[in-house]
Structure formats: structure tokens, C-alpha cells
Amino acid sequence: MPAEILITNGMLVDGNGTPPAPNTSLWIRDGKISGIGNQNDFKVANDAELIDATGKTIMPGLIDSHLHSTFDDVQSNDELFFHRDPVMSALVTTQNLLKILRCGVTSFVDPDTAHGIGPSIRNAIEAGVIEGPRMKTGVQALLTAVGGTAGHLIPDEGTVGYAQIVNSVDEVIMWTRRHIKYGADWIKLHATGSLTGRPGELMVWSREEVRAACNAAKDLGVPVMAHCRNPESVKICAEEGVSLILHASFMDDEGLEAVIQNDVAICPTFTFLANLADFGSKVGASPGMEDIFRGEIEQTAKMIRKAYDAGIRLVSGSESGFALTPYGHWHARELELFVEVLNLTEVEAISTATKNGAWTMRMEDTLGTLEEGKLADVIVVDGDVTEDIRILNDKTRLSEVISRGVRVDLNRPWPEHGSIPGWKVGNWAGEILTWQKAYE
């Protein structure tokens, strides 16, 4: 059994949205929280591990409700679809999980996984075969033949990378049921997609297809999430039974009304857009997109704030797994953005990655807040996160990560791997060699 742990004299943020409690101690025993308050009131074992949290914040471990653990900081769809074999993807994922855990994420939701390996990864974590945060997962995203964000790289039928193509209502039902049989905790629909020569993303599912997926999943007790990056998609998905909308980009008044009437949660996932807008030039991202993505954040944020004020559950997701959102670096930036663009308080923002995240994990009764009897997933952060939420993204400020009641070794070398044959796209050149360039 895990050792007893006593964390003393910290400022406790319980994740419920209540004001922080100064000079508070937390007692962990048998993997659960056994006491909160004055350490003198606890009957702690003599050999308990002691952690002095003076000047630090004690809070629940973070729950990232939207990341891709099997992608390995991918740089392109080509790389993701055609340079990732299932066995190597699973092996590299075991290293990605350590990065995620080391930065204070003790639970996460992975909506769609390379080659559908998510349930096997989750089961390996739960069985103690590999180390990692708690995980809930989809199998692959369901896409119509129109595709998602990868254009012509998506085949007309079959499967590639994280995508399973569905071409009829019958296929939607069939693959929803199969994914649940394979172990899906969530079904993901890629409701919008990009078409050559058309701006933005379009709704690429019919209302009947969305309804069929939601009904088939509901019959088997599994919720549905949907990638929605245009107004129509938000409205239709909310009306037809989707439980969680990813992005909700450009949501309009009709979409907002549908979200509120049907009590649909939202995971904005601003982090990818913000990183591209703010730092893309530092990593060679395509120029000229900064204003476009900042504009999307600002326009969407106004409507999401209205949804939040109407009582809609807001959850935090980083979309880690891409080159712009590598594992272990940006999992808490979404909270910073919620404070910046949604005008949430720091305590409110933290709740989106703790209490509300427990809902996406389907573990509301046991996870996400610091309360007696709940599972002991806890982090200790050097400083006051309610004064500066940004310190949650600074790994050097993370004093302790406690997962399942056990302290995670933060002193190990940071997990890294070398070059894997065929893993990355190899270009013959970074630019086109014209005659003028050769001799200018």
C-alpha cells in the first residue's frame, strides 16, 4: 500500500472554486485523502512522509481534458498518418505519459489515438504495466469522407492514423458500437472539416449522422464529444445529443441557446491557437496566421463567457501532442488564457482543470477536488497560484506531484528519445533551389 503522507502549512486550493485556505495541512493514507485542516488533529503514522508546504500551494492534480498522448509532438498530418506504426507509437507513448505526469497532470482525456491504441494504453496504466496519469480515452475519431483538418490525406473509406471514416448512418452506428466494444470511454466526432478553396471549417456531418452516433453511444452508456469549429456544428451537435464540444469556435446566438438548453459542456482548447499566434514565428510556423488565430480566440471567448455565466460547464484542454503543444510544457496555459480572455478568476480557472475535469474523466464522485475520502492526486506548487496562475506552467515551481497517493520522482532526467527511423518526414530541402537562388 502507498505510504502515509502529511503535507503541512500550505495554502490549500480545493478545486471546488472556494477561497483558498491558508496554513492548512493535508493527510494522505491508502491512496486517499484522510484529513484536511490542522495537522495536530490527524493520527499520522510515525513513518509517514512529511512535506513542508510553507509558502506553497496545495491543490488537486491537474486534469487535461483534451490531449493526444500517442501523437508524439507531431509536426504535420503527413507525419502523423504515414510515419507512425502501431507498435512504436505505443512504445513512445509510454515516454510521453511520463512527461505529462511530471508536469502535474494526474489525469487526462485522450479523444482519439493513433491506430486506436488508446484503450490498450489506458489498461496498461491501470494494471501497473506502465507509469502514467489516470486516462480516459476514445479509440479513433469518426470522420466522414469529406475529412477533418487534413484534406485529401483522409481516405474515402477505411482508417488512417487517428481517423475512422464513416460514409453512412449505418456505418456511423456500426463504428460507434465497435469503438465501445474496443473499450472507448468517449466517442469523438470530427463534425467540421476543411475543403480546398473554402475558408475556415465546414459542417461535414448531417444532422441524422450526428443523432445516430449519439443515440448508439447513449444506448451503451458512453458519452459523445465533437470537434466543432463553425457555428452550425455547435448548434446541431448540441441539439442532437453531444455531451462535450471541443473548440466551439465562432459559436453564434443560436448555438449558444442550444448549448444552454441541452447543458452541453465546452472545452475551448485555446492553447494551440494562442501558441501559434504568440510564438509560432519562433519555431518556423507558417507566417501570417497570428491575427487570424487571435481573432478566433477573441470572437469565440465572448460567447463562451456567456455560456459560462449561464452555468455551462467549462473544462480545460491543452491539445498537447503537436509540435506547437509538446507534452509537459503547456498543460496549464489554458488556465492562463481563461483568466486573460474569459476574465475568470484564478480560482475559477483552476476549477476547470480539477472539479470540472473529473466530469470528463467520468469520476466526479472520487476525483478532482481535495476532500476527505477522495483519491489522492495532489500537487504542491512553489508560490501562490491564485495570485499568478502562470506559475502552474513552470515545472521548476512544481515541488511535488502525488499520483494515486504516491510521490512521483521529479528528480529523474527528463524523458527524451533519439531519432527513430521513419518517424519524421525527411525533406530533400527546406526551400526550392531555383537558378536565381543558386547564383544570386
Side-chain angles (χ1 to χ4, degrees), residues 77 81-82 145-156 160 194-197:
N77 282 313
F81 292 159
F82 307 117
V146 178
T149 56
H152 289 283
L153 292 179
I154 299 295
D156 294 336
V160 64
S194 304
L195 287 176
T196 303

mmCIF file of all heavy atoms in Angstrom, residues 77 81-82 145-156 160 194-197:
data_model
loop_
_atom_site.group_PDB
_atom_site.id
_atom_site.type_symbol
_atom_site.label_atom_id
_atom_site.label_comp_id
_atom_site.label_asym_id
_atom_site.label_seq_id
_atom_site.Cartn_x
_atom_site.Cartn_y
_atom_site.Cartn_z
ATOM 1 N N ASN A 77 0.376 16.481 -40.552
ATOM 2 C CA ASN A 77 -0.544 15.367 -40.738
ATOM 3 C C ASN A 77 0.113 14.237 -41.522
ATOM 4 O O ASN A 77 -0.144 13.057 -41.267
ATOM 5 C CB ASN A 77 -1.803 15.852 -41.473
ATOM 6 C CG ASN A 77 -2.747 16.597 -40.557
ATOM 7 O OD1 ASN A 77 -3.037 16.144 -39.455
ATOM 8 N ND2 ASN A 77 -3.221 17.748 -40.998
ATOM 9 N N PHE A 81 0.025 10.494 -40.105
ATOM 10 C CA PHE A 81 -0.714 9.430 -40.789
ATOM 11 C C PHE A 81 0.186 8.338 -41.372
ATOM 12 O O PHE A 81 -0.203 7.173 -41.413
ATOM 13 C CB PHE A 81 -1.554 10.022 -41.927
ATOM 14 C CG PHE A 81 -2.689 10.884 -41.460
ATOM 15 C CD1 PHE A 81 -3.259 11.808 -42.310
ATOM 16 C CD2 PHE A 81 -3.188 10.778 -40.175
ATOM 17 C CE1 PHE A 81 -4.316 12.602 -41.892
ATOM 18 C CE2 PHE A 81 -4.236 11.570 -39.747
ATOM 19 C CZ PHE A 81 -4.804 12.487 -40.607
ATOM 20 N N PHE A 82 1.375 8.719 -41.848
ATOM 21 C CA PHE A 82 2.164 7.783 -42.635
ATOM 22 C C PHE A 82 3.541 7.457 -42.056
ATOM 23 O O PHE A 82 4.325 6.751 -42.684
ATOM 24 C CB PHE A 82 2.319 8.327 -44.065
ATOM 25 C CG PHE A 82 1.003 8.684 -44.698
ATOM 26 C CD1 PHE A 82 0.713 9.993 -45.062
ATOM 27 C CD2 PHE A 82 0.023 7.717 -44.891
ATOM 28 C CE1 PHE A 82 -0.510 10.324 -45.631
ATOM 29 C CE2 PHE A 82 -1.206 8.045 -45.459
ATOM 30 C CZ PHE A 82 -1.471 9.347 -45.831
ATOM 31 N N ALA A 145 -16.208 11.095 -45.113
ATOM 32 C CA ALA A 145 -15.205 11.085 -46.186
ATOM 33 C C ALA A 145 -14.749 12.485 -46.574
ATOM 34 O O ALA A 145 -13.678 12.642 -47.176
ATOM 35 C CB ALA A 145 -15.763 10.357 -47.413
ATOM 36 N N VAL A 146 -15.534 13.502 -46.243
ATOM 37 C CA VAL A 146 -15.089 14.880 -46.504
ATOM 38 C C VAL A 146 -13.807 15.152 -45.744
ATOM 39 O O VAL A 146 -12.931 15.889 -46.197
ATOM 40 C CB VAL A 146 -16.181 15.890 -46.109
ATOM 41 C CG1 VAL A 146 -15.704 17.317 -46.321
ATOM 42 C CG2 VAL A 146 -17.454 15.629 -46.907
ATOM 43 N N GLY A 147 -13.679 14.552 -44.569
ATOM 44 C CA GLY A 147 -12.444 14.660 -43.804
ATOM 45 C C GLY A 147 -12.548 15.598 -42.628
ATOM 46 O O GLY A 147 -13.627 16.038 -42.229
ATOM 47 N N GLY A 148 -11.396 15.893 -42.043
ATOM 48 C CA GLY A 148 -11.312 16.802 -40.914
ATOM 49 C C GLY A 148 -10.441 17.979 -41.284
ATOM 50 O O GLY A 148 -10.781 18.769 -42.157
ATOM 51 N N THR A 149 -9.266 18.069 -40.664
ATOM 52 C CA THR A 149 -8.363 19.186 -40.942
ATOM 53 C C THR A 149 -7.198 18.762 -41.828
ATOM 54 O O THR A 149 -6.267 19.533 -42.025
ATOM 55 C CB THR A 149 -7.813 19.760 -39.628
ATOM 56 O OG1 THR A 149 -7.171 18.708 -38.890
ATOM 57 C CG2 THR A 149 -8.933 20.338 -38.778
ATOM 58 N N ALA A 150 -7.265 17.541 -42.363
ATOM 59 C CA ALA A 150 -6.138 17.027 -43.144
ATOM 60 C C ALA A 150 -6.419 16.929 -44.633
ATOM 61 O O ALA A 150 -5.617 16.373 -45.388
ATOM 62 C CB ALA A 150 -5.729 15.655 -42.610
ATOM 63 N N GLY A 151 -7.564 17.419 -45.081
ATOM 64 C CA GLY A 151 -7.853 17.477 -46.506
ATOM 65 C C GLY A 151 -7.783 16.135 -47.205
ATOM 66 O O GLY A 151 -8.305 15.128 -46.723
ATOM 67 N N HIS A 152 -7.068 16.090 -48.326
ATOM 68 C CA HIS A 152 -7.018 14.895 -49.165
ATOM 69 C C HIS A 152 -6.189 13.767 -48.550
ATOM 70 O O HIS A 152 -6.169 12.662 -49.106
ATOM 71 C CB HIS A 152 -6.467 15.243 -50.542
ATOM 72 C CG HIS A 152 -7.411 16.049 -51.375
ATOM 73 N ND1 HIS A 152 -8.489 15.494 -52.014
ATOM 74 C CD2 HIS A 152 -7.467 17.373 -51.650
ATOM 75 C CE1 HIS A 152 -9.158 16.427 -52.676
ATOM 76 N NE2 HIS A 152 -8.555 17.587 -52.459
ATOM 77 N N LEU A 153 -5.509 14.014 -47.431
ATOM 78 C CA LEU A 153 -4.801 12.931 -46.765
ATOM 79 C C LEU A 153 -5.768 11.940 -46.123
ATOM 80 O O LEU A 153 -5.392 10.800 -45.840
ATOM 81 C CB LEU A 153 -3.851 13.493 -45.703
ATOM 82 C CG LEU A 153 -2.646 14.295 -46.210
ATOM 83 C CD1 LEU A 153 -1.818 14.798 -45.038
ATOM 84 C CD2 LEU A 153 -1.780 13.464 -47.142
ATOM 85 N N ILE A 154 -7.002 12.376 -45.884
ATOM 86 C CA ILE A 154 -8.020 11.482 -45.336
ATOM 87 C C ILE A 154 -8.567 10.611 -46.470
ATOM 88 O O ILE A 154 -9.020 11.130 -47.495
ATOM 89 C CB ILE A 154 -9.164 12.282 -44.691
ATOM 90 C CG1 ILE A 154 -8.636 13.137 -43.530
ATOM 91 C CG2 ILE A 154 -10.271 11.348 -44.208
ATOM 92 C CD1 ILE A 154 -8.104 12.348 -42.357
ATOM 93 N N PRO A 155 -8.523 9.292 -46.324
ATOM 94 C CA PRO A 155 -9.012 8.430 -47.410
ATOM 95 C C PRO A 155 -10.533 8.490 -47.531
ATOM 96 O O PRO A 155 -11.222 8.965 -46.620
ATOM 97 C CB PRO A 155 -8.546 7.042 -46.984
ATOM 98 C CG PRO A 155 -8.470 7.114 -45.492
ATOM 99 C CD PRO A 155 -8.026 8.514 -45.179
ATOM 100 N N ASP A 156 -11.059 7.995 -48.631
ATOM 101 C CA ASP A 156 -12.501 7.982 -48.841
ATOM 102 C C ASP A 156 -13.198 6.938 -47.970
ATOM 103 O O ASP A 156 -14.401 7.048 -47.692
ATOM 104 C CB ASP A 156 -12.822 7.702 -50.314
ATOM 105 C CG ASP A 156 -12.368 8.833 -51.226
ATOM 106 O OD1 ASP A 156 -12.235 9.969 -50.732
ATOM 107 O OD2 ASP A 156 -12.142 8.570 -52.424
ATOM 108 N N VAL A 160 -7.034 5.687 -41.126
ATOM 109 C CA VAL A 160 -5.665 6.176 -41.202
ATOM 110 C C VAL A 160 -5.365 6.936 -39.919
ATOM 111 O O VAL A 160 -6.195 7.719 -39.442
ATOM 112 C CB VAL A 160 -5.441 7.089 -42.440
ATOM 113 C CG1 VAL A 160 -6.288 8.350 -42.352
ATOM 114 C CG2 VAL A 160 -3.965 7.460 -42.588
ATOM 115 N N SER A 194 -12.097 20.807 -43.320
ATOM 116 C CA SER A 194 -11.624 21.807 -44.274
ATOM 117 C C SER A 194 -11.780 21.295 -45.703
ATOM 118 O O SER A 194 -11.523 20.122 -45.979
ATOM 119 C CB SER A 194 -10.154 22.129 -44.019
ATOM 120 O OG SER A 194 -9.947 22.562 -42.686
ATOM 121 N N LEU A 195 -12.186 22.181 -46.598
ATOM 122 C CA LEU A 195 -12.285 21.870 -48.017
ATOM 123 C C LEU A 195 -11.429 22.844 -48.807
ATOM 124 O O LEU A 195 -11.411 24.049 -48.510
ATOM 125 C CB LEU A 195 -13.733 21.951 -48.503
ATOM 126 C CG LEU A 195 -14.674 20.820 -48.066
ATOM 127 C CD1 LEU A 195 -16.092 21.110 -48.539
ATOM 128 C CD2 LEU A 195 -14.200 19.490 -48.627
ATOM 129 N N THR A 196 -10.739 22.335 -49.798
ATOM 130 C CA THR A 196 -9.870 23.171 -50.609
ATOM 131 C C THR A 196 -10.647 24.332 -51.227
ATOM 132 O O THR A 196 -11.725 24.138 -51.801
ATOM 133 C CB THR A 196 -9.234 22.340 -51.739
ATOM 134 O OG1 THR A 196 -8.528 21.240 -51.161
ATOM 135 C CG2 THR A 196 -8.273 23.180 -52.558
ATOM 136 N N GLY A 197 -10.129 25.529 -51.061
ATOM 137 C CA GLY A 197 -10.745 26.711 -51.638
ATOM 138 C C GLY A 197 -11.885 27.294 -50.838
ATOM 139 O O GLY A 197 -12.482 28.298 -51.245
#
